[in-house]
Amino acid sequence: MQRSSALAIVVAVVALGCVYARAEASPVTVQTVDMQGNNIPHVVILAPENQLPADPDLNREMPAAIMDQIDKAFAPEVLVIEQGRKVNFPNSDNIRHHVYSFSKPKVFELKLYAKQPEHPIEFEQAGIVVLGCNIHDQMLGFIVVSDTATWAETDSNGLATLPLPENLNTIRVWHPNLKSGFNQVEVHPLPKRQPDQVIRVQLDLKTTPPAKEKRGFGSDRFKLHGR
């Protein structure tokens, strides 16, 4: 009983700390554009890793996130989760898929299956996880495992809003078409900002999407990702 009470106190203190951290932050709206000034949707924006870190223990208790397979494509193409969370990989197609990743944050394989795998996959390490299907070469998906609880994804207008401390001078950004590589998270400066100001962040993108070369399980396909 004493141990349970002590644990409850610790959880309450952590929760209050998180609330206080968010209270000290103010909402910041970021607009991501390419080198020609076009809006970029589906850019993942992350606070620096020391800003309100993700809580793996808490995330393990959350419902599993969903990375579906529809019409021989991962849905969504990009899924953002916090470190420690589990992901289900249902197969909504009427054919079987063989999902796998060779990415350093999480190496796994779900052999040929239909409907629903028996267990979800837990993503313990932060980083970019690239997904493939051993049967359908065109299938390519991404899971961004965030090490911070402060993140957002830009909408169709390239806009995203997230709470950031006023003294913060950098953010991290990721997009599958970054010229620096789709396994890279870039650091970009944040200027001193005014209330209600939209911060414009320009990204250098590849003109073509990531290559979808042959990637049978056991090939060299994912040596780009730290394996």
Side-chain angles (χ1 to χ4, degrees):
M1 182 65 69
Q2 291 180 346
R3 182 177 179 182
S4 299
S5 300
L7 179 60
I9 292 171
V10 170
V11 170
V13 169
V14 171
L16 285 172
C18 291
V19 171
Y20 179 78
R22 286 190 181 276
E24 291 298 301
S26 58
V28 175
T29 299
V30 176
Q31 183 171 36
T32 52
V33 298
D34 63 18
M35 304 305 283
Q36 290 73 44
N38 302 309
N39 298 331
I40 311 175
H42 305 303
V43 176
V44 178
I45 301 173
L46 305 160
E49 57 185 331
N50 61 346
Q51 295 292 327
L52 198 57
D55 184 341
D57 292 332
L58 178 63
N59 295 327
R60 288 186 187 98
E61 302 303 318
M62 295 180 64
I66 301 295
M67 175 60 86
D68 208 337
Q69 295 147 81
I70 302 173
D71 295 332
K72 298 181 183 179
F74 288 106
E77 181 182 357
V78 175
L79 174 67
V80 186
I81 60 172
E82 291 175 22
Q83 187 176 1
R85 195 168 180 187
K86 297 176 182 178
V87 177
N88 268 324
F89 292 84
N91 178 1
S92 295
D93 285 335
N94 59 2
I95 55 177
R96 293 192 296 171
H97 291 298
H98 182 146
V99 176
Y100 70 98
S101 173
F102 285 161
S103 299
K104 188 174 181 179
K106 188 66 178 182
V107 178
F108 71 95
E109 178 183 15
L110 295 172
K111 295 182 179 181
L112 276 173
Y113 70 97
K115 304 299 182 183
Q116 178 72 48
E118 185 176 357
H119 301 291
I121 303 294
E122 183 177 339
F123 290 80
E124 306 91 343
Q125 297 185 42
I128 309 302
V129 177
V130 186
L131 306 173
C133 176
N134 198 33
I135 306 302
H136 306 100
D137 291 341
Q138 78 278 11
M139 291 178 64
L140 186 64
F142 304 89
I143 298 178
V144 180
V145 186
S146 173
D147 55 11
T148 173
T150 305
W151 59 268
E153 184 176 351
T154 59
D155 61 17
S156 58
N157 295 312
L159 294 167
T161 301
L162 66 167
L164 295 174
E166 293 184 3
N167 61 352
L168 191 68
N169 56 15
T170 62
I171 54 173
R172 295 176 294 168
V173 299
W174 176 88
H175 189 271
N177 290 352
L178 283 175
K179 187 169 283 188
S180 59
F182 58 91
N183 61 332
Q184 299 297 318
V185 177
E186 296 182 351
V187 176
H188 285 255
L190 274 181
K192 188 174 182 180
R193 50 196 183 272
Q194 303 298 322
D196 301 323
Q197 178 186 4
V198 176
I199 306 298
R200 204 164 184 254
V201 176
Q202 193 171 48
L203 303 179
D204 195 3
L205 302 184
K206 296 177 181 178
T207 55
T208 56
K212 297 177 180 178
E213 62 267 40
K214 180 71 175 178
R215 55 182 185 279
F217 200 86
S219 73
D220 293 334
R221 167 66 172 86
F222 285 114
K223 285 187 177 178
L224 294 173
H225 311 288
R227 300 299 297 175

